[in-house]
């Protein structure tokens, strides 16, 4: 009969002289009750302090190591990167599992390396097997099986090198890949004066009159502002947050790089189609 959530509401009912109240009973372990209490207090009532949320996350990691970083982050009101950092600091006392349960309740492996290898073996043995069949056998998603199949068809290994390296090595490789100039990814109209390019795009009605276009323009504006304030931004990051900010920056940089690659491919395809149409007309 311990109150998990609603102590202040219970006190208010007592002060009003109520003899009974409506409640929702919770049946579970003390650890599950704590998880429920944290999630409830994050979503309503007086907000927990950052220190309280970090402490709660550390306790949840210890009691529910099978939960994913995102699931714990949602319950504790933190970011997934912050939870991952707390988990790394607790790695000596927290059991290391090969899979975790996500926010949707599905169990996913921490590393798809073994799953990719099993998928490659099955694809070699049964090339006609469907993606879902291979996925069930290998314990990975159909999308990952599709990627493995494409890699095998192109003569590549089923596992990318970056999956087999340590976190530090992977970070260095990602940084080198993003920072290294790639001529084939540079937009055709890009110039040294990026502010002028952004200003030109802001005046383009085909972008301004669509919600997605306006969202893209806002992102480009924010990036343009950031390019003029790198020194101030880096100086604002305290040392204990440095690794987290580096990971986030690399993550977003890779997203932009993939965005640029996809857009560049679309522009090339549309350009070839236009050339073909022009040639037929002539």
């Amino acid at each position: 009969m311990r109150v998990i959530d609603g102590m202040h509401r219970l006190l208010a009912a007592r002060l009003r002289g109520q003899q009974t109240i409506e409640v929702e009973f919770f049946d579970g372990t003390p650890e599950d009750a704590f998880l429920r209490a944290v999630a409830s207090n994050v979503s309503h009532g007086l907000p927990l302090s950052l220190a309280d949320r970090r402490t709660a996350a550390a306790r949840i990691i210890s009691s529910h190591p099978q939960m994913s970083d995102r699931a714990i982050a949602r319950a504790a009101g933190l970011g997934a990167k912050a939870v991952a950092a707390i988990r790394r600091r607790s790695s000596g006392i927290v059991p290391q599992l090969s899979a975790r349960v996500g926010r949707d309740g599905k169990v996913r492996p921490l590393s798809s390396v073994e799953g990719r290898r099993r998928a490659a073996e099955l694809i070699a043995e049964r090339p006609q097997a469907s993606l879902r069949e291979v996925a069930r056998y290998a314990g990975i998603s159909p999308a990952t099986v599709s990627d493995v199949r494409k890699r095998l068809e192109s003569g590549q290994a089923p596992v990318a090198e970056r999956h087999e390296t340590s976190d530090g090595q992977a970070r260095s490789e990602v940084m080198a890949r993003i920072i290294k100039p790639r001529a084939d990814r540079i937009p055709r109209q890009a110039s040294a004066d990026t502010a002028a390019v952004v200003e030109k795009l802001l005046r383009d009605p085909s972008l301004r009159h669509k919600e997605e276009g306006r969202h893209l323009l806002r992102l480009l504006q924010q990036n343009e502002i950031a390019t003029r304030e790198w020194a101030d931004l880096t100086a604002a990051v305290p040392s204990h947050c440095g690794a987290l900010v580096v990971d986030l920056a690399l993550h977003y940089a890779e997203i932009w790089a993939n965005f640029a690659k996809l857009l560049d491919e679309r522009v090339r395809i549309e350009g070839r189609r236009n050339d073909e149409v022009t040639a037929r007309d002539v």
Side-chain angles (χ1 to χ4, degrees):
M1 299 297 290
R2 182 163 58 90
V3 177
I4 295 175
D5 178 44
M7 291 184 180
H8 292 98
R9 282 169 280 165
L10 176 60
L11 178 60
R14 284 176 174 168
L15 292 175
R16 288 197 300 267
Q18 290 182 229
Q19 297 300 313
T20 60
I21 58 172
E22 291 185 1
V23 300
E24 178 185 345
F25 286 105
F26 174 80
D27 185 17
T29 65
E31 292 77 18
D32 289 339
F34 177 77
L35 174 60
R36 179 73 168 270
V38 172
S40 298
N41 279 278
V42 164
S43 61
H44 68 77
L46 292 175
L48 298 175
S49 68
L50 178 59
D52 288 339
R53 282 178 279 143
R54 288 182 177 277
T55 300
R59 182 170 168 181
I60 295 172
I61 289 172
S62 178
S63 62
H64 296 74
Q66 75 280 8
M67 287 180 64
S68 70
D69 292 341
R70 292 184 181 278
I72 295 177
R74 184 177 185 179
L78 292 171
K81 293 287 186 179
V83 173
I86 295 172
R87 193 190 293 270
R88 284 196 296 270
R89 292 196 294 268
S90 307
S91 59
I93 57 177
V94 175
Q96 301 301 303
L97 306 177
S98 59
R100 292 180 189 158
V101 181
R103 292 185 299 179
D104 55 3
K106 294 182 180 179
V107 179
R108 294 180 176 84
L110 290 180
S111 173
S112 62
V113 172
E114 290 304 319
R116 282 173 171 268
R117 288 172 178 160
R118 287 196 296 269
E121 293 172 1
L122 186 60
I123 290 172
E125 296 172 4
R126 299 174 54 193
Q128 302 305 319
S130 68
L131 296 180
R132 293 190 179 278
E133 286 182 86
V134 179
R136 281 197 298 271
Y137 168 80
I140 55 180
S141 69
T144 303
V145 175
S146 176
D147 181 66
V148 171
R149 180 170 285 172
K150 290 176 182 177
R151 292 182 65 85
L152 293 175
E153 290 174 351
S154 62
Q156 296 177 293
V159 181
E161 291 183 4
R162 63 186 178 88
H163 289 296
E164 300 180 313
T165 59
S166 65
D167 290 344
Q169 290 173 318
R171 179 189 294 176
S172 298
E173 290 175 4
V174 172
M175 185 178 293
R177 184 170 68 254
I178 294 172
I179 295 177
K180 183 179 179 181
R182 290 287 303 274
D184 60 331
R185 289 187 182 178
I186 298 176
R188 302 297 175 269
Q189 296 181 349
S191 67
D193 189 3
T194 56
V197 175
V198 173
E199 191 65 31
K200 178 180 178 181
L201 292 173
L202 288 171
R203 295 193 299 269
D204 192 319
S206 60
L207 286 171
R208 290 165 45 203
H209 293 167
K210 292 188 296 185
E211 180 60 33
E212 295 82 359
R214 290 194 294 271
H215 182 55
L216 175 61
L217 290 174
R218 286 193 292 270
L219 289 175
L220 292 173
Q221 280 183 297
Q222 292 169 359
N223 276 265
E224 176 56 33
I225 294 173
T227 58
R228 299 195 297 268
E229 301 177 354
W230 285 132
D232 294 336
L233 293 175
T234 53
V237 180
S239 58
H240 67 276
C241 297
L244 294 176
V245 176
V246 167
D247 287 341
L248 280 173
L250 288 174
H251 174 68
Y252 293 138
E254 194 162 18
I255 289 176
W256 273 111
N258 290 332
F259 170 80
K261 181 179 179 181
L262 290 173
L263 181 59
D264 186 50
E265 290 174 353
R266 199 195 79 183
V267 171
R268 288 173 184 270
I269 292 172
E270 291 180 353
R272 285 197 297 269
R273 287 175 180 170
N274 292 336
D275 290 342
E276 291 172 1
V277 171
T278 302
R280 286 199 299 270
D281 291 343
V282 172

